Structures are given as C-alpha cells and as structure tokens.
Amino acid sequence: MLKAKDIVAILVTTIVIIGIAVGPVSGQNKRLPTQGGDKDNWGTLLNEYLSQEHNIDGTHKLKTLETLTGVVNVRDFGAKADGVTDDVPAFEAARDYLVTKGGGVIYVPPGQYIMTRAFDLKNNISVIGTGWASNLHGRPTSPGTLIPMIYTYNIGNLTLSGLRFTHEGIPSVNLSGRGVMQLNSYGSTPIRLTVKGNFFDNIQSSAIVIGGDGELESFVENNFIINPGEHGIYVAGSKSLVIRGNIITGSGSQGIHTGTCGVKVSRNDAKMVLIDGNIIKNQNVQANHSGGGICVEEPALKVTIVNNQILTNGTLTNGSGNAYSSGIAISSDNNVVANNRILMTSGGNVDGIVVGGGAGTPTGNVIHGNTITGGFGEPLLIAANARYTVISGNTLEGTAGGWTISDSGDNTLIKDNVITAGGYGIQLSGSSDGDRVIDNVIASTAKYDVSAGPTNYIIRDLGNLTPAVEQYWAGKFTIGKDGTPISSHLSATAVWNPASLADGAVTSTTVTVSGAAAGDIVNAGHDQIGVNNVQISAHVESANTVRVILRNASGAILDLASGTLRVGVWKY
C-alpha cells in the first residue's frame, strides 16, 4: 500500500506536472443532528450526512488517494525495485488496471527497476517518478542488444516525468535510430505527449526517438541527457513538436555511431518542430565523420531553432583522422535559425553554422541574430548546393585561419552582420551565383575575397573597402524596370593638354582602359572644356585602348588648358 511519504511525493508531482488539483473532499466530516440540539436544522444536516458513503459502523468512508488523483503505486502491483527482479510485469499490471479505469498515473517510488523488455504504454496513462532515484534500468536478456524501455505506438494524452534511465552492456550492433524511449505516431489524430524532467544516464543509443508521420502536438522539455551513445533527441518523423529547455552533453560518447547530434531532425514528415532554449555541449564524432549540436537533414523542413546555447568541439572518439563538428547543421528547406549562441573550441574541425553539404539543394533557410565565438573553424559556412539563404544580423568572431562567412551557394543574401575580429571577413567562392553582400561591419584585416570565380554578385559596402566605395557589382544589372542588362562599367583617367586648334580643327589622344573591347559604348569628358563650344567623342580603337577625339566648333581659335580626361566604357 501507499506510504505517507509516497502520498506527499505523488501529490506534489501530480499537482506540478499534470495539473491535478487535490483539495478537501466535498462532504467529508458531515454529521448527524444532535439530540436536543440543531433546532430547525435537522433536515439539512440529515440530508448532507445521508448523501455520503459510510462504513458498516456508521463512520464516513474516506476517499483513497487513487480515487482523488487516479494515481497507483507500481510497488502495489509487485514491483521489487531491488536491481535484480524483472519489474516489467508489475508495470504492465498497473497499466492494465488503469486501463479499466479509463487512465491514470503509475507512480514510481525510488529504487532500481529492472526492465528486460519494452514497457508498452496505453492511452491516458502517465508514468511519474521522483527524479534521479526512480531508476528504470535496461538489462536485456540477450547480451549485446538494446531495448526501448518505454514504447508507444499511436498512444497519447500522457506524461512521462521524473524517471532516470540507465542501461547495461555495450551493444555489439549499430543501433542507429533506436532509443530507450521510443515514441511513434501515425495518422492525423494528435497524440499529445509530455516528456518532462527525466534523466538519461550513459545509455548506449539515442535517449528519445520520435518516429512516424503523425501529428504529435507534444512537448519534450527539461530533460537531462548525459553521454548518450547516439543522439540525445532524434526526431525521425512526426509534426508539431516542441523540444525545449533540455540539457544534452556528450552525444555519441560510445563511439559506435558515425554521425551523432545533440538534437537531430530528419526523414519524411518531420516538420513544424520548435527547438528552443536547449543547452548542448561536447559532441563526440568518429574519425572522418561529422556531427553537431543540432542537425536538420533533408527531407525534414520548417524547423525553428532559437535561443539555444551550444558548445561544439568535435572530439574524436574512435580511430584516427579528422572529426567534423558543427554547432548547427542544416541540409533541408525553409528552416529558421535565430538568436542562438555557439562557442567553438578546439578538438577537431569545427564550424559554427553550416547550411548545405548534404543531399539535395537546401533552399530558403534564414540564419539571423546568432552569436558565434571561439576562434576555431569557420563560424558560418554556406555550401555549394545551398540556394536562397538569408544571413542577417549575426555577430561573428572571426578566426585567424579561415573566412568568417564562407559562401559557395547561389542567391545568398548576406546583410547587416558584424564580424568582430580575426584575419578574414567574407568569401564568395566556387561557382556561387547571384549573391548579395550588403552593409556588413567587418573588423577583419582582409574584408572580402571574390577571387575564386563567383558570378553575378553585388557587394555594397560604405566603409570596409580600401579606398571606401559605395558599391561593387559583378554580373549584369539593369537600371530601371525595363532597362537593358549591363555587364559592367569601366573607367580610366589621364592628364591631357590638347594642342591649340583653329576653328573646325581636330585633335586626338588614346587612353588605356583595361577590359575595353571593340563595340563597347564609350563616353569622354575633359574638365577644362567649360563653356567652350567643343565636340568630344570616343571609341574603342583596339583591345584595352580608347581613342578620344576633340573638335573645335567655337568659331575661333581654341587653346584648352591641361586638365583631366575621363573615359567611361559600358559593357553589355
């Protein structure tokens, strides 16, 4: 039976976590009228007394804790919690009893409960423990295997809270995609789960795996995940999920998985996921593989990643070679990464935020308002297969050996970012096309690099170039809505003192304009013409050479002073 300390623990837990209000039971302590007393109140007192249940001796039948809260103690169904006995049958018995009541709560007091197989939950049945002391310990009957200790399939309207999960033995097979808490949903009916305040301690696989293609409308929050063998939280499908306030350390710690993440979202129908306010640190990666703090992979989409704190160091766990780690890695469409803080430290090849690099063409991602520091790797990397990425309002600490923002994707907008230190600023590289780099503040020694062949890009910079220029264009642009596309505008100057000219006489000179070619449109001007009636024209005489012709049309002898001749060449 429930002990007094169990009652206190359950009441506190259920009130805080589930929201069950437990107060005085209406009608308790009603009494019979007293003989010779209670004048004019006998009828009321008697009716109130008779409305309540009574024992055979006439005393009131007090309602039990189960009646008040729907909570049963798994120990009352045979659980030993002795670290030896298989307690799954006791959990199943408590579950089956609550099924007959329409649902309720299985309370798990302190102790170590051995789980030799998965415990399958049913609708409306929650499992709540006291925290670290309520230990569900996986002990598979076949060595080298792993079991999900909690399993659901289209089961919902329940809470899993205050439990500690451990597991013994290192599996002999790769357990990619499996977890000790396996929650699956299929179909359009919302499942509605709350996984809150649990501990996952040095388990051999992922801690929480959410799969299927269904509507979850669920929360995974405030869990502690310590050194999981693979991912901390793995969303392998399902929609409408909030992952908030979890602390995840040391993902991939067992060295048996190739690419591990603190939180990973991938596969079909994984969409509309909010990853908010988590702390993720110390990812472990096998040699010559990659991992990260938060990973969103194709075909998952529409994931929002905000307000997370990530420490990434790419620690090598197995073999020799390079370990590649990112704070946040995005390789799918239409995701938002905003207001995260990433600290990159040594220990491997580390990057802050990476967009692209996987399969497909990740499109329409927004990277805004993040702070990335640490001085290792590339704080922000846009791979060649990324399209239409927006990078705005980020604060980035540059590194001594790499570009702070390195962009190889197409049609990237890089705007209003602040690069605070380091030797290198923004690089447009490879075959990137149509990029726009606008009004960034760069403290690096080398501001921009466009030497690797990008096309059709625009850089607008009011203070970072030397000498400062307002705009730099590459590729064709138009002036006005229906203007003809212009490839570039070239110009050059020279000092010219034309000879004295009789009326109608002509003189000429040449100016070198690199890139000028026959057929280009050319104009020219001389700063000493003033109000004189003079005709000046120009054309490309040969490659890189412009001929300027001056004709005196003043009606008198004209002797212009020496001045600056400027030539402009328009290329279409």
Side-chain angles (χ1 to χ4, degrees):
M1 295 298 293
L2 289 169
K3 304 292 193 298
K5 64 178 182 179
D6 295 335
I7 294 174
V8 173
I10 294 172
L11 289 178
V12 171
T13 305
T14 53
I15 290 170
V16 172
I17 297 177
I18 304 181
I20 298 176
V22 181
V25 181
S26 175
Q28 301 258 52
N29 300 320
K30 298 299 181 181
R31 61 181 177 83
L32 289 169
T34 57
Q35 187 174 3
D38 297 312
K39 183 180 180 181
D40 300 326
N41 202 28
W42 269 61
T44 299
L45 293 174
L46 188 60
N47 286 334
E48 289 179 349
Y49 180 81
L50 294 176
S51 68
Q52 307 303 311
E53 292 184 84
H54 297 80
N55 297 310
I56 194 169
D57 61 358
T59 59
H60 295 94
K61 183 179 289 186
L62 298 177
K63 294 192 175 182
T64 66
L65 180 67
E66 177 193 329
T67 305
L68 291 171
T69 65
V71 177
V72 298
N73 189 334
V74 71
R75 299 288 293 272
D76 291 338
F77 292 84
K80 301 299 183 182
D82 56 6
V84 177
T85 306
D86 181 5
D87 285 323
V88 174
F91 279 90
E92 293 172 337
R95 173 202 65 196
D96 294 343
Y97 173 78
L98 289 176
V99 167
T100 67
K101 304 296 183 179
V105 177
I106 300 174
Y107 169 61
V108 183
Q112 187 178 70
Y113 299 81
I114 298 301
M115 312 294 283
T116 62
R117 64 181 186 276
F119 172 42
D120 294 351
L121 276 169
K122 303 295 183 183
N123 284 320
N124 311 316
I125 296 176
S126 298
V127 182
I128 296 177
T130 60
W132 185 267
S134 298
N135 179 200
L136 275 60
H137 182 74
R139 181 175 291 165
T141 55
S142 299
T145 62
L146 180 137
I147 55 171
M149 282 178 266
I150 299 288
Y151 181 85
T152 68
Y153 185 95
N154 270 13
I155 299 300
N157 302 322
L158 57 88
T159 295
L160 302 169
S161 182
L163 304 169
R164 177 186 171 209
F165 295 88
T166 56
H167 199 280
E168 64 184 53
I170 296 179
S172 58
V173 296
N174 191 308
L175 300 171
S176 179
R178 297 178 59 186
V180 297
M181 188 179 284
Q182 193 95 26
L183 312 173
N184 301 307
S185 68
Y186 296 87
S188 58
T189 302
I191 296 300
R192 300 195 177 102
L193 304 171
T194 298
V195 180
K196 181 175 183 179
N198 300 287
F199 298 85
F200 298 83
D201 182 17
N202 287 282
I203 57 176
Q204 310 303 322
S205 66
S206 297
I208 302 169
V209 175
I210 297 168
D213 61 4
E215 286 284 348
L216 269 176
E217 295 185 3
S218 297
F219 292 85
V220 177
E221 55 186 351
N222 301 344
N223 298 284
F224 298 85
I225 301 175
I226 305 165
N227 298 330
E230 194 181 13
H231 313 298
I233 300 170
Y234 181 23
V235 183
S238 298
K239 313 175 189 72
S240 306
L241 172 66
V242 176
I243 300 172
R244 174 184 292 149
N246 301 282
I247 297 178
I248 304 171
T249 66
S251 58
S253 62
Q254 307 304 323
I256 58 176
H257 301 285
T258 56
T260 59
C261 306
V263 178
K264 180 177 180 178
V265 183
S266 70
R267 299 194 182 180
N268 291 321
D269 300 299
K271 60 185 68 173
M272 302 300 291
V273 177
L274 173 62
I275 303 173
D276 176 22
N278 302 279
I279 296 176
I280 303 171
K281 59 183 182 177
N282 298 330
Q283 295 85 45
N284 299 279
V285 184
Q286 276 205 45
N288 302 314
H289 289 88
S290 61
I294 298 174
C295 311
V296 180
E297 298 180 354
E298 194 206 17
L301 62 134
K302 298 179 181 176
V303 176
T304 301
I305 303 171
V306 294
N307 303 321
N308 299 282
Q309 308 259 345
I310 301 172
L311 184 149
T312 180
N313 61 2
T315 300
L316 188 65
T317 60
N318 210 353
S320 60
N322 293 318
Y324 301 90
S325 184
S326 306
I328 299 174
I330 304 293
S331 57
S332 67
D333 299 343
N334 302 317
N335 304 289
V336 175
V337 180
N339 301 326
N340 301 282
R341 184 175 182 88
I342 300 173
L343 174 62
M344 302 185 300
T345 63
S346 61
N349 295 300
V350 295
D351 297 309
I353 298 175
V354 176
V355 180
T361 54
T363 301
N365 293 290
V366 176
I367 314 298
H368 176 77
N370 302 281
T371 301
I372 305 176
T373 60
F376 291 89
E378 292 180 311
L380 219 161
L381 175 63
I382 310 301
N385 60 332
R387 302 289 184 270
Y388 299 100
T389 307
V390 176
I391 303 171
S392 65
N394 301 284
T395 301
L396 311 169
E397 180 183 359
T399 65
W403 289 92
T404 304
I405 300 177
S406 180
D407 174 32
S408 301
D410 290 347
N411 299 293
T412 305
L413 174 62
I414 303 174
K415 186 177 188 297
D416 296 330
N417 300 282
V418 176
I419 298 175
T420 61
Y424 301 88
I426 298 173
Q427 179 188 50
L428 305 182
S429 63
S431 59
S432 63
D433 179 77
D435 296 334
R436 304 293 183 264
V437 181
I438 300 173
D439 295 346
N440 299 280
V441 177
I442 304 175
S444 304
T445 303
K447 311 298 183 182
Y448 298 99
D449 176 27
V450 293
S451 61
T455 56
N456 299 321
Y457 60 87
I458 296 174
I459 296 176
R460 188 178 76 193
D461 191 310
L462 299 180
N464 282 315
L465 295 183
T466 304
V469 296
E470 183 173 350
Q471 300 188 91
Y472 179 64
W473 307 83
K476 294 186 176 183
F477 64 96
T478 60
I479 299 175
K481 178 181 178 184
D482 299 316
T484 301
I486 299 168
S487 175
S488 62
H489 177 258
L490 310 175
S491 66
T493 60
V495 176
W496 186 28
N497 184 10
S500 177
L501 297 175
D503 182 38
V506 174
T507 187
S508 69
T509 188
T510 59
V511 178
T512 299
V513 182
S514 297
D520 291 341
I521 294 177
V522 184
N523 52 24
H526 192 284
D527 63 4
Q528 297 300 314
I529 291 177
V531 298
N532 295 294
N533 188 4
V534 175
Q535 296 171 347
I536 187 168
S537 62
H539 66 277
V540 178
E541 183 175 83
S542 61
N544 304 320
T545 301
V546 171
R547 172 70 64 178
V548 180
I549 301 171
L550 184 69
R551 179 180 180 274
N552 179 12
S554 66
I557 296 174
L558 178 66
D559 188 7
L560 292 180
S562 178
T564 299
L565 174 65
R566 182 178 296 277
V567 175
V569 178
W570 295 86
K571 302 183 71 66
Y572 290 84

